[in-house]
Amino acid sequence: MTSSPALRAATLRALHHPGDPLVLPNAWDAGSARAVVEAGFPAVATASAAVSRSLGYADGEGTPVGEMLAAVSRITRAVEVPVTADLERGYRLPPAELVQRLLDAGAVGLNLEDSDPTDGCLVDPGAQAELLAGVRAAAEVAGVPIVINARTDVFLRAYGESAGRLDESIRRARRYLAAGADCVYPIMLADPAELRIFIEAVAAPVNVLAHPAAPAQAELAALGVARISYGPALYAATYAHTAELLASVAAGDRLA
């Protein structure tokens, strides 16, 4: 990569336009990252589930942190665009070490989620805000304004009564933004009316997961979404297609 980490981080941040979202078809290795760039996308994001499965591990911080960051390094070496890494809840690394290892891997952004990968329970929002503030402070010391995408798992984990989930997700998102996050990610929030309320309430860049229940890209843009992620969907589709090809080979067929 020819540009500095600080410049790549600034470039990544500038790509977050509410109403004209940054679309991230998440990659899992150098080859898929190159394919993302060749398709015209201006940044690359990893998906922890996709990277983990491609390495033979389970998602939920089942991949040793060294192997996860090595995979990120292979991706950043393969592309010239900014790379943001899904690092789950940070693998229990101290914020300063987490930031340094992220930068050493060549990435300039990261996802951090607010549920415990070991049991799926939501963590206290104060503890998560403290983690995010530590990451922001470490980034400032390093001189690289990394882009922090703070994921809240209220909808993913079906936290509390359904009637209160939107309010809880907004409360957490606001706290994470105050702690230094650049973007908030209410994963699995898909209802257009609720998305509009969330986006207006947080008044900051919002990331939405593209999945079958979510609105299409154009509708998400009209709602004011700033970032759209595909998570492990491309990896899952690629794996399924590979399984079909292998079944054809096992049946004695030629590949087209």
Side-chain angles (χ1 to χ4, degrees):
M1 291 174 288
T2 56
S3 60
S4 70
L7 180 57
R8 293 198 303 277
T11 299
L12 178 61
R13 179 176 287 101
L15 291 169
H16 291 70
H17 299 291
D20 183 19
L22 169 63
V23 178
L24 296 168
N26 302 66
W28 58 93
D29 62 9
S32 59
R34 282 179 173 157
V36 167
V37 175
E38 288 167 2
F41 295 94
V44 169
T46 69
S48 67
V51 175
S52 295
R53 292 167 192 164
S54 73
L55 295 173
Y57 296 99
D59 194 26
E61 296 192 354
T63 305
V65 63
E67 291 197 42
M68 178 61 73
L69 289 167
V72 174
S73 293
R74 290 190 289 272
I75 287 170
T76 63
R77 287 197 299 268
V79 299
E80 292 292 328
V81 301
V83 174
T84 179
D86 179 358
L87 296 185
E88 306 204 50
R89 198 167 178 263
Y91 298 87
R92 293 179 169 76
L93 296 176
E97 182 180 353
L98 178 64
V99 169
Q100 189 57 57
R101 293 182 72 170
L102 176 81
L103 294 174
D104 288 346
V108 291
L110 78 167
N111 278 21
L112 288 171
E113 61 200 46
D114 67 356
S115 59
D116 188 332
T118 62
D119 58 16
C121 294
L122 284 171
V123 301
D124 177 78
Q128 186 69 5
E130 184 177 351
L131 171 63
L132 295 169
V135 170
R136 175 55 64 208
E140 290 177 356
V141 169
V144 181
I146 63 172
V147 178
I148 302 174
N149 189 31
R151 198 181 95 179
T152 178
D153 293 355
V154 171
F155 286 89
L156 176 67
R157 305 301 183 188
Y159 174 81
E161 298 296 326
S162 59
R165 287 174 194 155
L166 181 60
D167 288 342
E168 177 65 14
S169 66
I170 291 170
R171 183 174 75 88
R172 286 174 176 259
R174 285 172 168 168
R175 193 156 186 180
Y176 302 161
L177 289 163
D182 300 284
C183 183
V184 286
Y185 184 10
I187 191 169
M188 301 308 293
L189 175 56
D191 179 78
E194 291 188 325
L195 273 171
R196 187 180 296 280
I197 293 169
F198 183 93
I199 291 165
E200 292 177 354
V202 302
V206 173
N207 187 176
V208 170
L209 178 68
H211 64 97
Q217 284 187 24
E219 187 176 356
L220 290 173
L223 288 168
V225 169
R227 173 168 167 166
I228 301 171
S229 300
Y230 277 75
L234 270 73
Y235 174 80
T238 301
Y239 187 93
H241 182 59
T242 301
E244 293 176 358
L245 293 174
L246 291 170
S248 296
V249 172
D253 297 336
R254 290 195 179 98
L255 296 181

